[in-house]
Amino acid sequence: MRIIKILLSVIVILVLTVVGLVFVLPGEKIAGLAADQVKGQTGRDLTFDGEVKFSLYPSLGVSTGAVALSNADWSDKGPMFEAEGAKIGVDLMALIRGNIEIKNIELVSPKILLEQDGRGHANWDLFPSSEDTSAAEASEATSGAGFTLDKLTVSDATIQYLDGAGLDVALREVDASLEWGGSEATVSISAKPSSETVTVDAEIADLNSLLDGGISQVVGDIKAAGNEVHFEGRASMVPEIQGAAKASLPNPDAFMAALGLEPAGVPATEFAGDITLTKAQLFSLRGGKISLAGTAFDADADIDLAAKPVVTANIRAGDLNMESFTGGPDSEASQESTESDWSKDVIDASALALFDGTITVSAQSLSTGTLNFGTSRMTIDVDNARAVATLQRLDGYDGVITGQFVANNRNGLSVGGKVNVEGMELKELLNDFAEIDRFTGKADAQIGFLASGNSLHRIMNSLQGDGQMTVGRGTIAGIDLDQLFRGTPSGGTTVFDNMAASWMISEGILTNNDLLMDLPNVQAKGAGTVGLGPQNIDYTFTPQIKNDTDTGLAIPVRVKGPWADPKIWPDLEAVVNQNFEEEKKQLEEKAKQAVADKLGVTAEEGQSLEDAAKKKLEEEAGKQLLKLFGGN
């Protein structure tokens, strides 16, 4: 807005000169006098290229060809202001009364360069700090006269800002209009900071106060790429803002790109709330109502914007859906994946680097797209792209989870955690997690894990960790171990009293060797692997009839295949090896003796039948070779 005041100062000088001399001097001479006035007050050169024309009807006015105002003497970037043409119209009767009422100003294809040198100097500081007496008197005379501007029109403008430290911001194809009646003003601007057109419409209650650094009531709208932001409240040029804001952002990334900013991967968003921005760049939100990717929540926040944003926020959600951030099953990449694979959608964790601070989140329910939980309360601490989520409570599957989860995106995404589970029902948990519905029972567990990768597929296939679990009374559908010992090895359900196991995880493969399941008349041991990454299983349960010597009949049961459809069968080879070892040895000895008798082999003292048979065959082979080559 300061550039408007600068331009108006130049225009006032031009108009005063024109009005005083219009009847007695040619246009070129008046243009020269105006340039001298500008030079005397600002030290800048005002040049006209082309004829300067005047009109008396319908209003007193002047029109020019190309016009330019030179830059500060320390700049080498060319003119501060130049335009292909300008038109100025004033109210003659008001001028006779001693007031300057500019009816209209039209600027054609202006180019405005706003520049700082990095040492505290700005090219828009037109008037020297030590103004001479004549300049000060002229300024007072100008300000003392009544001054209004009815309408300012700018077409096809280019505005560039250089901060002296490398920042270069340009607005192209700027069209603007300012209608200023008394103190109230209406502003309409359209520009292209990037590839999309951005429009700004505002109603300002007191533009004079705003231009002088004061505060005014403002109602404004910003629209770009199908997105819209609305504000109604008070604002200043500092900037300071206080009022009610609303935003409808079906495509926030497109909105950011239209403003020339980097997209942040934010999903569709709706927003409403009371906002405040102070001179010290402290932003606050109160009574925020936000809908993010279809999830609605309330929010209060305080953000320090003086440097990298530091956030303190309290978020209260109803049903919190995190599927958009974890790669849900409906995404394009997920549809291309097979049913037995994790999503390969790239997880965008760049938001972890956008701010530091502490966010408290509570929700009535929480869904990750795979798992579904009830009431949750957690605190998220973010520091330099690393977030630590501390779970005070996460209800789900009839149990409670507490612990910590860590997401670190400082050098690629990695995740980890230490979790404590109490009383969680296995059937629904395993069904949601891996579509396994054979197991029931309430589990307690302690889990530690660490993984890295930019997709759920890579994370699950890189898992490292350990843990242990105990389960109270439960069932396994699809097999009845009691019936198995009665000669019916398929179907039914196993009911167990308790179960315990520990495990290690490496490269997405969970290995367990100490599963122990206790049934009334049977105990079952287990060992094998569960592929958390490849989503498969190769595990052997070994149920055994209980007795005092732990030598009861045992029938190993093999579970192997993909999670969605594993095969379960009795491992008969293992049954023979485990239960009939002595009988197997006796049968083997009988078979060996029969072969030896057939060959006519007698084992010498200290020699096995196998060695004796081998010696006999070698001797017979030697005799036959001698005959072949002509020997005796």
Side-chain angles (χ1 to χ4, degrees):
M1 296 298 290
R2 189 168 185 179
I3 189 60
I4 295 177
K5 297 185 71 177
I6 295 168
L7 295 176
L8 292 179
S9 298
V10 174
I11 291 166
V12 167
I13 294 170
L14 181 61
V15 170
L16 287 173
T17 305
V18 168
V19 171
L21 302 173
V22 65
F23 298 110
V24 296
L25 294 175
E28 291 80 0
K29 185 65 174 178
I30 294 175
L33 291 173
D36 290 341
Q37 289 288 322
V38 172
K39 181 74 172 180
Q41 292 197 39
T42 67
R44 305 286 182 90
D45 293 322
L46 178 64
T47 60
F48 298 90
D49 185 6
E51 186 179 3
V52 178
K53 298 179 180 180
F54 301 96
S55 64
L56 294 175
Y57 182 82
S59 62
L60 179 66
V62 60
S63 63
T64 75
V67 59
L69 179 67
S70 67
N71 210 333
D73 55 10
W74 46 262
S75 174
D76 60 359
K77 300 296 191 300
M80 174 184 171
F81 169 82
E82 56 184 328
E84 293 181 4
K87 294 181 180 180
I88 306 111
V90 299
D91 188 316
L92 179 58
M93 296 307 296
L95 190 64
I96 293 173
R97 294 193 301 268
N99 295 321
I100 303 172
E101 295 185 7
I102 299 179
K103 306 300 292 184
N104 65 283
I105 298 175
E106 294 182 28
L107 301 177
V108 181
S109 299
K111 295 181 179 179
I112 302 169
L113 174 63
L114 303 177
E115 186 179 5
Q116 292 180 293
D117 66 355
R119 297 187 297 273
H121 301 128
N123 70 342
W124 56 79
D125 291 331
L126 287 175
F127 301 100
S129 57
S130 57
E131 296 179 341
D132 57 31
T133 305
S134 60
E137 291 175 352
S139 177
E140 290 175 4
T142 301
S143 61
F147 175 77
T148 64
L149 170 63
D150 286 355
K151 187 170 184 178
L152 170 66
T153 303
V154 177
S155 60
D156 193 26
T158 299
I159 302 174
Q160 184 179 18
Y161 171 68
L162 306 173
D163 74 342
L167 178 64
D168 185 348
V169 178
L171 298 179
R172 307 184 312 277
E173 301 180 31
V174 179
D175 295 324
S177 68
L178 169 64
E179 295 185 5
W180 192 354
S183 61
E184 296 181 357
T186 300
V187 180
S188 295
I189 302 173
S190 69
K192 272 192 174 181
S194 186
S195 59
E196 295 280 346
T197 298
V198 179
T199 63
V200 179
D201 296 291
E203 295 180 2
I204 304 170
D206 191 344
L207 182 57
N208 282 315
S209 175
L210 196 66
L211 293 175
D212 289 335
I215 295 176
S216 172
Q217 288 292 125
V218 175
V219 177
D221 291 279
I222 302 175
K223 298 179 181 179
N227 302 274
E228 181 176 358
V229 177
H230 175 81
F231 172 78
E232 184 169 351
R234 303 189 306 156
S236 76
M237 297 292 293
V238 173
E240 293 174 289
I241 297 172
Q242 191 280 320
K246 293 191 299 183
S248 176
L249 306 174
N251 191 339
D253 280 355
F255 185 69
M256 299 288 283
L259 296 176
L261 303 174
E262 288 294 326
V266 179
T269 303
E270 298 287 333
F271 167 84
D274 294 327
I275 62 173
T276 301
L277 177 64
T278 70
K279 292 180 181 180
Q281 296 294 290
L282 298 177
F283 174 85
S284 69
L285 167 66
R286 294 294 180 267
K289 303 287 184 182
I290 303 171
S291 175
L292 188 67
T295 299
F297 52 90
D298 300 332
D300 297 307
D302 293 296
I303 306 174
D304 187 346
L305 297 171
K308 181 180 180 181
V310 178
V311 178
T312 302
N314 185 3
I315 298 174
R316 304 167 300 280
D319 301 321
L320 186 57
N321 191 334
M322 303 295 292
E323 187 172 329
S324 298
F325 304 97
T326 57
D330 296 330
S331 63
E332 181 177 345
S334 295
Q335 291 173 1
E336 294 176 357
S337 301
T338 62
E339 290 184 358
S340 60
D341 200 3
W342 297 105
S343 169
K344 296 181 180 179
D345 286 356
V346 174
I347 299 174
D348 185 359
S350 59
L352 291 175
L354 296 179
F355 67 94
D356 293 335
T358 300
I359 301 174
T360 301
V361 181
S362 60
Q364 295 177 2
S365 69
L366 185 150
S367 173
T368 68
T370 303
L371 300 175
N372 299 284
F373 297 95
T375 302
S376 62
R377 293 195 305 273
M378 70 184 77
T379 300
I380 304 171
D381 295 297
V382 182
D383 178 29
N384 190 24
R386 181 178 183 269
V388 179
T390 302
L391 276 67
Q392 285 86 20
R393 185 181 185 92
L394 180 61
D395 294 340
Y397 305 99
D398 296 333
V400 178
I401 298 177
T402 57
Q404 281 190 339
F405 290 97
V406 178
N408 188 339
N409 199 40
R410 292 173 179 173
N411 296 294
L413 180 61
S414 62
V415 296
K418 293 183 178 180
V419 183
N420 183 69
V421 179
E422 296 181 7
M424 189 156 289
E425 176 55 55
L426 287 177
K427 182 175 182 178
E428 294 181 5
L429 175 65
L430 293 176
N431 186 53
D432 285 354
F433 185 69
E435 297 183 355
I436 297 175
D437 60 1
R438 296 176 181 271
F439 295 88
T440 69
K442 289 187 178 293
D444 295 334
Q446 293 79 45
I447 304 167
F449 67 93
L450 180 66
S452 62
N454 64 352
S455 68
L456 196 56
H457 173 83
R458 291 188 177 183
I459 287 174
M460 295 304 295
N461 281 276
S462 67
L463 273 172
Q464 311 284 335
D466 57 19
Q468 58 184 7
M469 176 182 67
T470 59
V471 182
R473 186 177 179 83
T475 63
I476 303 176
I479 186 170
D480 187 330
L481 297 180
D482 184 61
Q483 290 186 16
L484 184 66
F485 286 103
R486 297 172 184 271
T488 307
S490 63
T493 298
T494 296
V495 179
F496 59 87
D497 293 327
N498 57 73
M499 180 171 60
S502 64
W503 60 82
M504 298 292 294
I505 306 173
S506 178
E507 300 300 325
I509 305 297
L510 183 151
T511 301
N512 160 253
N513 294 310
D514 64 353
L515 175 69
L516 180 61
M517 182 186 301
D518 191 31
L519 289 73
N521 300 310
V522 177
Q523 68 176 8
K525 298 178 181 180
T529 61
V530 178
L532 301 176
Q535 295 188 11
N536 57 25
I537 185 170
D538 187 357
Y539 203 86
T540 300
F541 287 98
T542 305
Q544 184 178 25
I545 295 177
K546 290 182 177 179
N547 62 24
D548 294 337
T549 59
D550 197 25
T551 58
L553 179 64
I555 302 180
V557 178
R558 190 81 174 271
V559 182
K560 187 175 183 180
W563 285 357
D565 187 26
K567 305 300 181 184
I568 302 177
W569 73 95
D571 191 342
L572 296 181
E573 181 178 356
V575 170
V576 172
N577 289 336
Q578 184 161 342
N579 296 287
F580 301 100
E581 188 66 28
E582 292 301 322
E583 292 83 347
K584 179 180 176 182
K585 290 180 180 179
Q586 293 176 11
L587 290 172
E588 286 179 350
E589 291 299 324
K590 290 181 179 180
K592 292 175 184 177
Q593 187 62 54
V595 171
D597 292 343
K598 187 71 174 178
L599 294 174
V601 174
T602 301
E604 299 177 358
E605 184 177 355
Q607 186 182 41
S608 67
L609 285 174
E610 290 95 331
D611 292 340
K614 181 179 179 181
K615 184 177 179 181
K616 178 70 174 180
L617 290 172
E618 288 174 349
E619 290 174 353
E620 291 297 324
K623 292 177 181 178
Q624 297 302 321
L625 288 172
L626 287 173
K627 290 180 181 179
L628 178 64
F629 292 105
N632 294 326

